[in-house]
Amino acid sequence: MSAHSATILTRPSAEGGARVRALAPALGAEITGLDLAAGVTPEAVALVLESLHRYGVVVVRDQHLTPEEQLGFMGRLGPVKTSSYSRANAFCVPGYPDMMVISNIVENGRNIGLMDAGAMWHADGTHMARPDMYTALYALEVPQRDGKPLGDTLFASTAEAYDALPDALRERVTGRRAVHSFAHHIEKKRRLGDLRRPPLTEAQKAELPDVEHPVVARHPVTGRRTLFVTEGHTARIAGLAPEESDALLEELWAHIRRPEFIYRHSWRVGDLLIWDNRATQHLAIFDYGELRRRMHRVETIGPVPE
């Protein structure tokens, strides 16, 4: 982590026997000894938020959560996001329209959840005027081969990436804005052969217009500057010719993906993985084929990026 970042937590927390341990140099931490199903205290919420803002991504281990409990906990972190796109495509947990199923499982001839989530580096909801603030993914089924878990998720710290920008590149992007587009995202998936969901309807396109956000955004809580352009949803940099925009975006994406900014999460059943969507990007690894994988996702809405 950058020198000005908060000191790494290795001490016992104020929340009973819970402990926080850093997992990688740039980002990532685990919390053990916290039982969210037993009741969410103000101290538990404060511990998770403090850890998120220090480490970007936090895994709370060994949870046994009902959908109500996961939704209730995320509601303590912020307003829970409602997704008309998820509802229209029947990707929700039955009876819980604000909770999306992320899964490759097919039952009765249909996918029970979203099968291609995370195929490109992205941050959740950047195609919206108010992108997601926090996302929580709860692991119910984790595929394994020869005793090794599959389907890892990679995270990159966009705050650390910004801090490490060369001066010339920082000057080129300061003050610029970029266009984020869900239609672009879906079309890019199709071109790459990664699309495993229905195409957008005209009604969905109308509900999800393109938006502009700053290329360099300030985190709404910590105040740190972050790079806010993603391989998955950023279509172009406003005001630049297409060739110049494409080249600059590729340079920024390659910088964000540098190994020193990465944490790779290896899943366990019972992991509640929460990430700060305004300070990170992530990528799913599809190495499990037809082996069953099932997760429940809940997101909170954040402010307009500045």
mmCIF file of all heavy atoms in Angstrom, residues 80-121:
data_model
loop_
_atom_site.group_PDB
_atom_site.id
_atom_site.type_symbol
_atom_site.label_atom_id
_atom_site.label_comp_id
_atom_site.label_asym_id
_atom_site.label_seq_id
_atom_site.Cartn_x
_atom_site.Cartn_y
_atom_site.Cartn_z
ATOM 1 N N VAL A 80 -29.496 -0.423 -0.847
ATOM 2 C CA VAL A 80 -29.327 -1.590 -1.714
ATOM 3 C C VAL A 80 -29.824 -1.256 -3.116
ATOM 4 O O VAL A 80 -30.873 -0.632 -3.295
ATOM 5 C CB VAL A 80 -30.079 -2.802 -1.132
ATOM 6 C CG1 VAL A 80 -30.124 -3.951 -2.140
ATOM 7 C CG2 VAL A 80 -29.410 -3.259 0.161
ATOM 8 N N LYS A 81 -29.062 -1.693 -4.108
ATOM 9 C CA LYS A 81 -29.374 -1.420 -5.514
ATOM 10 C C LYS A 81 -30.512 -2.312 -5.995
ATOM 11 O O LYS A 81 -30.556 -3.506 -5.706
ATOM 12 C CB LYS A 81 -28.122 -1.662 -6.356
ATOM 13 C CG LYS A 81 -28.307 -1.528 -7.853
ATOM 14 C CD LYS A 81 -26.980 -1.824 -8.556
ATOM 15 C CE LYS A 81 -27.108 -1.828 -10.053
ATOM 16 N NZ LYS A 81 -25.805 -2.133 -10.697
ATOM 17 N N THR A 82 -31.408 -1.731 -6.766
ATOM 18 C CA THR A 82 -32.464 -2.465 -7.444
ATOM 19 C C THR A 82 -32.108 -2.561 -8.923
ATOM 20 O O THR A 82 -31.827 -1.544 -9.552
ATOM 21 C CB THR A 82 -33.816 -1.755 -7.282
ATOM 22 O OG1 THR A 82 -34.167 -1.735 -5.898
ATOM 23 C CG2 THR A 82 -34.906 -2.473 -8.058
ATOM 24 N N SER A 83 -32.092 -3.759 -9.483
ATOM 25 C CA SER A 83 -31.673 -3.965 -10.864
ATOM 26 C C SER A 83 -32.846 -4.447 -11.713
ATOM 27 O O SER A 83 -33.247 -5.608 -11.616
ATOM 28 C CB SER A 83 -30.526 -4.984 -10.937
ATOM 29 O OG SER A 83 -30.238 -5.312 -12.277
ATOM 30 N N SER A 84 -33.376 -3.555 -12.542
ATOM 31 C CA SER A 84 -34.441 -3.971 -13.452
ATOM 32 C C SER A 84 -33.900 -4.945 -14.489
ATOM 33 O O SER A 84 -34.620 -5.835 -14.958
ATOM 34 C CB SER A 84 -35.062 -2.755 -14.142
ATOM 35 O OG SER A 84 -34.086 -2.044 -14.882
ATOM 36 N N TYR A 85 -32.613 -4.820 -14.836
ATOM 37 C CA TYR A 85 -31.995 -5.736 -15.809
ATOM 38 C C TYR A 85 -31.994 -7.162 -15.259
ATOM 39 O O TYR A 85 -32.367 -8.114 -15.930
ATOM 40 C CB TYR A 85 -30.568 -5.288 -16.110
ATOM 41 C CG TYR A 85 -29.822 -6.224 -17.033
ATOM 42 C CD1 TYR A 85 -30.031 -6.187 -18.407
ATOM 43 C CD2 TYR A 85 -28.918 -7.155 -16.531
ATOM 44 C CE1 TYR A 85 -29.353 -7.053 -19.257
ATOM 45 C CE2 TYR A 85 -28.245 -8.019 -17.373
ATOM 46 C CZ TYR A 85 -28.467 -7.961 -18.737
ATOM 47 O OH TYR A 85 -27.807 -8.825 -19.565
ATOM 48 N N SER A 86 -31.602 -7.314 -13.990
ATOM 49 C CA SER A 86 -31.578 -8.637 -13.375
ATOM 50 C C SER A 86 -32.976 -9.231 -13.289
ATOM 51 O O SER A 86 -33.193 -10.405 -13.594
ATOM 52 C CB SER A 86 -30.953 -8.547 -11.975
ATOM 53 O OG SER A 86 -31.012 -9.788 -11.319
ATOM 54 N N ARG A 87 -33.938 -8.410 -12.899
ATOM 55 C CA ARG A 87 -35.313 -8.905 -12.765
ATOM 56 C C ARG A 87 -35.869 -9.344 -14.112
ATOM 57 O O ARG A 87 -36.519 -10.389 -14.227
ATOM 58 C CB ARG A 87 -36.192 -7.817 -12.161
ATOM 59 C CG ARG A 87 -35.785 -7.434 -10.743
ATOM 60 C CD ARG A 87 -36.660 -6.343 -10.182
ATOM 61 N NE ARG A 87 -36.119 -5.890 -8.899
ATOM 62 C CZ ARG A 87 -36.828 -5.197 -8.020
ATOM 63 N NH1 ARG A 87 -38.082 -4.899 -8.265
ATOM 64 N NH2 ARG A 87 -36.285 -4.813 -6.886
ATOM 65 N N ALA A 88 -35.602 -8.549 -15.150
ATOM 66 C CA ALA A 88 -36.143 -8.870 -16.466
ATOM 67 C C ALA A 88 -35.592 -10.177 -17.011
ATOM 68 O O ALA A 88 -36.266 -10.885 -17.761
ATOM 69 C CB ALA A 88 -35.843 -7.728 -17.443
ATOM 70 N N ASN A 89 -34.365 -10.508 -16.616
ATOM 71 C CA ASN A 89 -33.731 -11.728 -17.119
ATOM 72 C C ASN A 89 -33.823 -12.892 -16.135
ATOM 73 O O ASN A 89 -33.188 -13.923 -16.340
ATOM 74 C CB ASN A 89 -32.272 -11.451 -17.468
ATOM 75 C CG ASN A 89 -32.135 -10.604 -18.711
ATOM 76 O OD1 ASN A 89 -32.302 -11.083 -19.821
ATOM 77 N ND2 ASN A 89 -31.858 -9.320 -18.523
ATOM 78 N N ALA A 90 -34.599 -12.725 -15.064
ATOM 79 C CA ALA A 90 -34.848 -13.789 -14.085
ATOM 80 C C ALA A 90 -33.557 -14.302 -13.463
ATOM 81 O O ALA A 90 -33.406 -15.503 -13.232
ATOM 82 C CB ALA A 90 -35.631 -14.940 -14.735
ATOM 83 N N PHE A 91 -32.622 -13.383 -13.179
ATOM 84 C CA PHE A 91 -31.365 -13.765 -12.539
ATOM 85 C C PHE A 91 -31.428 -13.611 -11.020
ATOM 86 O O PHE A 91 -30.423 -13.790 -10.342
ATOM 87 C CB PHE A 91 -30.213 -12.905 -13.066
ATOM 88 C CG PHE A 91 -29.917 -13.102 -14.528
ATOM 89 C CD1 PHE A 91 -29.550 -12.024 -15.311
ATOM 90 C CD2 PHE A 91 -29.974 -14.358 -15.105
ATOM 91 C CE1 PHE A 91 -29.264 -12.189 -16.660
ATOM 92 C CE2 PHE A 91 -29.691 -14.536 -16.452
ATOM 93 C CZ PHE A 91 -29.339 -13.455 -17.234
ATOM 94 N N CYS A 92 -32.570 -13.236 -10.480
ATOM 95 C CA CYS A 92 -32.681 -12.970 -9.048
ATOM 96 C C CYS A 92 -32.895 -14.252 -8.258
ATOM 97 O O CYS A 92 -33.418 -15.252 -8.766
ATOM 98 C CB CYS A 92 -33.838 -12.024 -8.775
ATOM 99 S SG CYS A 92 -33.726 -10.461 -9.654
ATOM 100 N N VAL A 93 -32.519 -14.213 -6.976
ATOM 101 C CA VAL A 93 -32.884 -15.274 -6.054
ATOM 102 C C VAL A 93 -34.409 -15.243 -5.927
ATOM 103 O O VAL A 93 -34.987 -14.182 -5.686
ATOM 104 C CB VAL A 93 -32.237 -15.054 -4.676
ATOM 105 C CG1 VAL A 93 -32.693 -16.120 -3.682
ATOM 106 C CG2 VAL A 93 -30.714 -15.062 -4.797
ATOM 107 N N PRO A 94 -35.101 -16.380 -6.104
ATOM 108 C CA PRO A 94 -36.560 -16.379 -6.031
ATOM 109 C C PRO A 94 -37.053 -15.735 -4.730
ATOM 110 O O PRO A 94 -36.643 -16.111 -3.637
ATOM 111 C CB PRO A 94 -36.921 -17.858 -6.103
ATOM 112 C CG PRO A 94 -35.797 -18.470 -6.893
ATOM 113 C CD PRO A 94 -34.573 -17.713 -6.460
ATOM 114 N N GLY A 95 -37.922 -14.753 -4.874
ATOM 115 C CA GLY A 95 -38.460 -14.059 -3.715
ATOM 116 C C GLY A 95 -37.614 -12.901 -3.225
ATOM 117 O O GLY A 95 -38.030 -12.175 -2.320
ATOM 118 N N TYR A 96 -36.425 -12.690 -3.847
ATOM 119 C CA TYR A 96 -35.512 -11.621 -3.413
ATOM 120 C C TYR A 96 -35.028 -10.849 -4.641
ATOM 121 O O TYR A 96 -33.933 -11.087 -5.156
ATOM 122 C CB TYR A 96 -34.336 -12.198 -2.620
ATOM 123 C CG TYR A 96 -34.772 -12.913 -1.382
ATOM 124 C CD1 TYR A 96 -35.016 -14.284 -1.398
ATOM 125 C CD2 TYR A 96 -35.001 -12.212 -0.198
ATOM 126 C CE1 TYR A 96 -35.464 -14.944 -0.266
ATOM 127 C CE2 TYR A 96 -35.451 -12.862 0.939
ATOM 128 C CZ TYR A 96 -35.674 -14.227 0.896
ATOM 129 O OH TYR A 96 -36.118 -14.878 2.011
ATOM 130 N N PRO A 97 -35.837 -9.936 -5.132
ATOM 131 C CA PRO A 97 -35.523 -9.270 -6.400
ATOM 132 C C PRO A 97 -34.275 -8.403 -6.369
ATOM 133 O O PRO A 97 -33.755 -8.043 -7.427
ATOM 134 C CB PRO A 97 -36.772 -8.432 -6.681
ATOM 135 C CG PRO A 97 -37.419 -8.254 -5.349
ATOM 136 C CD PRO A 97 -37.129 -9.505 -4.578
ATOM 137 N N ASP A 98 -33.766 -8.059 -5.172
ATOM 138 C CA ASP A 98 -32.568 -7.238 -5.084
ATOM 139 C C ASP A 98 -31.303 -8.068 -4.892
ATOM 140 O O ASP A 98 -30.230 -7.504 -4.636
ATOM 141 C CB ASP A 98 -32.691 -6.231 -3.934
ATOM 142 C CG ASP A 98 -33.809 -5.234 -4.184
ATOM 143 O OD1 ASP A 98 -34.087 -4.960 -5.372
ATOM 144 O OD2 ASP A 98 -34.409 -4.753 -3.211
ATOM 145 N N MET A 99 -31.411 -9.391 -5.033
ATOM 146 C CA MET A 99 -30.260 -10.280 -4.889
ATOM 147 C C MET A 99 -30.100 -11.096 -6.165
ATOM 148 O O MET A 99 -31.004 -11.803 -6.580
ATOM 149 C CB MET A 99 -30.435 -11.216 -3.685
ATOM 150 C CG MET A 99 -29.285 -12.190 -3.477
ATOM 151 S SD MET A 99 -29.513 -13.196 -1.988
ATOM 152 C CE MET A 99 -29.186 -11.963 -0.719
ATOM 153 N N MET A 100 -28.944 -10.972 -6.805
ATOM 154 C CA MET A 100 -28.696 -11.657 -8.064
ATOM 155 C C MET A 100 -27.965 -12.974 -7.828
ATOM 156 O O MET A 100 -27.065 -13.057 -6.983
ATOM 157 C CB MET A 100 -27.874 -10.778 -9.015
ATOM 158 C CG MET A 100 -27.600 -11.406 -10.373
ATOM 159 S SD MET A 100 -26.549 -10.383 -11.444
ATOM 160 C CE MET A 100 -27.724 -9.124 -11.944
ATOM 161 N N VAL A 101 -28.338 -13.997 -8.603
ATOM 162 C CA VAL A 101 -27.620 -15.267 -8.596
ATOM 163 C C VAL A 101 -26.510 -15.197 -9.646
ATOM 164 O O VAL A 101 -26.753 -14.841 -10.803
ATOM 165 C CB VAL A 101 -28.563 -16.449 -8.926
ATOM 166 C CG1 VAL A 101 -27.793 -17.762 -8.919
ATOM 167 C CG2 VAL A 101 -29.717 -16.496 -7.943
ATOM 168 N N ILE A 102 -25.285 -15.514 -9.243
ATOM 169 C CA ILE A 102 -24.146 -15.635 -10.152
ATOM 170 C C ILE A 102 -23.817 -17.122 -10.204
ATOM 171 O O ILE A 102 -23.346 -17.700 -9.227
ATOM 172 C CB ILE A 102 -22.930 -14.837 -9.653
ATOM 173 C CG1 ILE A 102 -23.310 -13.379 -9.362
ATOM 174 C CG2 ILE A 102 -21.790 -14.933 -10.663
ATOM 175 C CD1 ILE A 102 -23.770 -12.605 -10.575
ATOM 176 N N SER A 103 -24.100 -17.769 -11.344
ATOM 177 C CA SER A 103 -23.977 -19.232 -11.382
ATOM 178 C C SER A 103 -23.960 -19.739 -12.816
ATOM 179 O O SER A 103 -24.533 -19.128 -13.720
ATOM 180 C CB SER A 103 -25.152 -19.872 -10.619
ATOM 181 O OG SER A 103 -25.048 -21.276 -10.634
ATOM 182 N N ASN A 104 -23.327 -20.900 -12.992
ATOM 183 C CA ASN A 104 -23.349 -21.605 -14.279
ATOM 184 C C ASN A 104 -24.333 -22.774 -14.266
ATOM 185 O O ASN A 104 -24.398 -23.536 -15.224
ATOM 186 C CB ASN A 104 -21.952 -22.136 -14.614
ATOM 187 C CG ASN A 104 -21.473 -23.194 -13.616
ATOM 188 O OD1 ASN A 104 -21.954 -23.251 -12.480
ATOM 189 N ND2 ASN A 104 -20.528 -24.016 -14.035
ATOM 190 N N ILE A 105 -25.106 -22.916 -13.211
ATOM 191 C CA ILE A 105 -25.992 -24.060 -13.054
ATOM 192 C C ILE A 105 -27.223 -23.899 -13.948
ATOM 193 O O ILE A 105 -27.815 -22.814 -14.020
ATOM 194 C CB ILE A 105 -26.418 -24.217 -11.578
ATOM 195 C CG1 ILE A 105 -25.175 -24.480 -10.702
ATOM 196 C CG2 ILE A 105 -27.434 -25.338 -11.417
ATOM 197 C CD1 ILE A 105 -25.452 -24.409 -9.210
ATOM 198 N N VAL A 106 -27.601 -24.976 -14.596
ATOM 199 C CA VAL A 106 -28.802 -25.010 -15.433
ATOM 200 C C VAL A 106 -29.800 -25.960 -14.790
ATOM 201 O O VAL A 106 -29.469 -27.111 -14.483
ATOM 202 C CB VAL A 106 -28.480 -25.474 -16.867
ATOM 203 C CG1 VAL A 106 -29.750 -25.585 -17.697
ATOM 204 C CG2 VAL A 106 -27.482 -24.521 -17.525
ATOM 205 N N GLU A 107 -31.010 -25.467 -14.546
ATOM 206 C CA GLU A 107 -32.080 -26.287 -13.977
ATOM 207 C C GLU A 107 -33.329 -26.126 -14.826
ATOM 208 O O GLU A 107 -33.685 -25.003 -15.202
ATOM 209 C CB GLU A 107 -32.372 -25.868 -12.531
ATOM 210 C CG GLU A 107 -31.238 -26.177 -11.560
ATOM 211 C CD GLU A 107 -31.565 -25.764 -10.138
ATOM 212 O OE1 GLU A 107 -32.602 -25.076 -9.937
ATOM 213 O OE2 GLU A 107 -30.779 -26.104 -9.229
ATOM 214 N N ASN A 108 -33.968 -27.244 -15.139
ATOM 215 C CA ASN A 108 -35.197 -27.230 -15.950
ATOM 216 C C ASN A 108 -34.998 -26.473 -17.264
ATOM 217 O O ASN A 108 -35.874 -25.726 -17.718
ATOM 218 C CB ASN A 108 -36.353 -26.627 -15.154
ATOM 219 C CG ASN A 108 -36.649 -27.410 -13.884
ATOM 220 O OD1 ASN A 108 -36.629 -28.639 -13.891
ATOM 221 N ND2 ASN A 108 -36.901 -26.693 -12.791
ATOM 222 N N GLY A 109 -33.818 -26.636 -17.836
ATOM 223 C CA GLY A 109 -33.543 -26.066 -19.141
ATOM 224 C C GLY A 109 -33.194 -24.593 -19.170
ATOM 225 O O GLY A 109 -33.068 -24.009 -20.246
ATOM 226 N N ARG A 110 -33.004 -23.946 -18.013
ATOM 227 C CA ARG A 110 -32.638 -22.535 -18.016
ATOM 228 C C ARG A 110 -31.538 -22.265 -16.995
ATOM 229 O O ARG A 110 -31.392 -22.971 -15.995
ATOM 230 C CB ARG A 110 -33.842 -21.642 -17.722
ATOM 231 C CG ARG A 110 -34.258 -21.609 -16.267
ATOM 232 C CD ARG A 110 -35.229 -20.457 -15.986
ATOM 233 N NE ARG A 110 -35.455 -20.285 -14.547
ATOM 234 C CZ ARG A 110 -34.732 -19.485 -13.771
ATOM 235 N NH1 ARG A 110 -33.731 -18.791 -14.274
ATOM 236 N NH2 ARG A 110 -34.992 -19.378 -12.479
ATOM 237 N N ASN A 111 -30.767 -21.226 -17.273
ATOM 238 C CA ASN A 111 -29.732 -20.796 -16.337
ATOM 239 C C ASN A 111 -30.400 -20.208 -15.094
ATOM 240 O O ASN A 111 -31.279 -19.354 -15.209
ATOM 241 C CB ASN A 111 -28.845 -19.723 -16.968
ATOM 242 C CG ASN A 111 -28.189 -20.181 -18.260
ATOM 243 O OD1 ASN A 111 -27.998 -21.376 -18.462
ATOM 244 N ND2 ASN A 111 -27.855 -19.240 -19.119
ATOM 245 N N ILE A 112 -29.960 -20.635 -13.917
ATOM 246 C CA ILE A 112 -30.557 -20.095 -12.695
ATOM 247 C C ILE A 112 -29.996 -18.721 -12.362
ATOM 248 O O ILE A 112 -30.541 -18.018 -11.507
ATOM 249 C CB ILE A 112 -30.377 -21.042 -11.499
ATOM 250 C CG1 ILE A 112 -28.907 -21.132 -11.077
ATOM 251 C CG2 ILE A 112 -30.958 -22.420 -11.814
ATOM 252 C CD1 ILE A 112 -28.708 -21.800 -9.728
ATOM 253 N N GLY A 113 -28.887 -18.348 -13.002
ATOM 254 C CA GLY A 113 -28.262 -17.068 -12.705
ATOM 255 C C GLY A 113 -27.445 -16.566 -13.872
ATOM 256 O O GLY A 113 -27.468 -17.127 -14.965
ATOM 257 N N LEU A 114 -26.712 -15.486 -13.616
ATOM 258 C CA LEU A 114 -25.850 -14.887 -14.623
ATOM 259 C C LEU A 114 -24.594 -15.745 -14.758
ATOM 260 O O LEU A 114 -23.894 -15.998 -13.775
ATOM 261 C CB LEU A 114 -25.497 -13.467 -14.192
ATOM 262 C CG LEU A 114 -24.853 -12.551 -15.221
ATOM 263 C CD1 LEU A 114 -25.781 -12.358 -16.424
ATOM 264 C CD2 LEU A 114 -24.528 -11.212 -14.580
ATOM 265 N N MET A 115 -24.294 -16.194 -15.988
ATOM 266 C CA MET A 115 -23.206 -17.140 -16.199
ATOM 267 C C MET A 115 -21.903 -16.482 -16.623
ATOM 268 O O MET A 115 -20.835 -17.079 -16.480
ATOM 269 C CB MET A 115 -23.607 -18.165 -17.265
ATOM 270 C CG MET A 115 -24.840 -18.987 -16.910
ATOM 271 S SD MET A 115 -25.274 -20.204 -18.173
ATOM 272 C CE MET A 115 -23.986 -21.419 -17.945
ATOM 273 N N ASP A 116 -21.952 -15.264 -17.154
ATOM 274 C CA ASP A 116 -20.753 -14.657 -17.738
ATOM 275 C C ASP A 116 -20.286 -13.420 -16.980
ATOM 276 O O ASP A 116 -19.550 -12.595 -17.516
ATOM 277 C CB ASP A 116 -21.002 -14.307 -19.203
ATOM 278 C CG ASP A 116 -22.145 -13.307 -19.391
ATOM 279 O OD1 ASP A 116 -22.714 -12.855 -18.382
ATOM 280 O OD2 ASP A 116 -22.465 -12.998 -20.559
ATOM 281 N N ALA A 117 -20.716 -13.270 -15.718
ATOM 282 C CA ALA A 117 -20.354 -12.076 -14.949
ATOM 283 C C ALA A 117 -18.847 -12.014 -14.733
ATOM 284 O O ALA A 117 -18.223 -12.997 -14.334
ATOM 285 C CB ALA A 117 -21.071 -12.082 -13.599
ATOM 286 N N GLY A 118 -18.269 -10.850 -15.002
ATOM 287 C CA GLY A 118 -16.866 -10.628 -14.670
ATOM 288 C C GLY A 118 -15.872 -11.115 -15.685
ATOM 289 O O GLY A 118 -14.692 -11.279 -15.361
ATOM 290 N N ALA A 119 -16.290 -11.338 -16.944
ATOM 291 C CA ALA A 119 -15.380 -11.895 -17.944
ATOM 292 C C ALA A 119 -14.314 -10.900 -18.384
ATOM 293 O O ALA A 119 -13.322 -11.293 -18.997
ATOM 294 C CB ALA A 119 -16.170 -12.390 -19.158
ATOM 295 N N MET A 120 -14.519 -9.615 -18.124
ATOM 296 C CA MET A 120 -13.525 -8.583 -18.418
ATOM 297 C C MET A 120 -13.297 -7.755 -17.151
ATOM 298 O O MET A 120 -14.168 -7.665 -16.290
ATOM 299 C CB MET A 120 -14.018 -7.665 -19.547
ATOM 300 C CG MET A 120 -14.119 -8.332 -20.905
ATOM 301 S SD MET A 120 -14.732 -7.195 -22.181
ATOM 302 C CE MET A 120 -16.504 -7.204 -21.807
ATOM 303 N N TRP A 121 -12.119 -7.142 -17.056
ATOM 304 C CA TRP A 121 -11.857 -6.266 -15.923
ATOM 305 C C TRP A 121 -12.904 -5.148 -15.898
ATOM 306 O O TRP A 121 -13.166 -4.498 -16.908
ATOM 307 C CB TRP A 121 -10.471 -5.643 -16.039
ATOM 308 C CG TRP A 121 -9.354 -6.543 -15.626
ATOM 309 C CD1 TRP A 121 -8.528 -7.256 -16.442
ATOM 310 C CD2 TRP A 121 -8.935 -6.815 -14.281
ATOM 311 N NE1 TRP A 121 -7.626 -7.968 -15.678
ATOM 312 C CE2 TRP A 121 -7.841 -7.711 -14.359
ATOM 313 C CE3 TRP A 121 -9.379 -6.386 -13.026
ATOM 314 C CZ2 TRP A 121 -7.185 -8.194 -13.229
ATOM 315 C CZ3 TRP A 121 -8.720 -6.862 -11.892
ATOM 316 C CH2 TRP A 121 -7.635 -7.747 -11.996
#
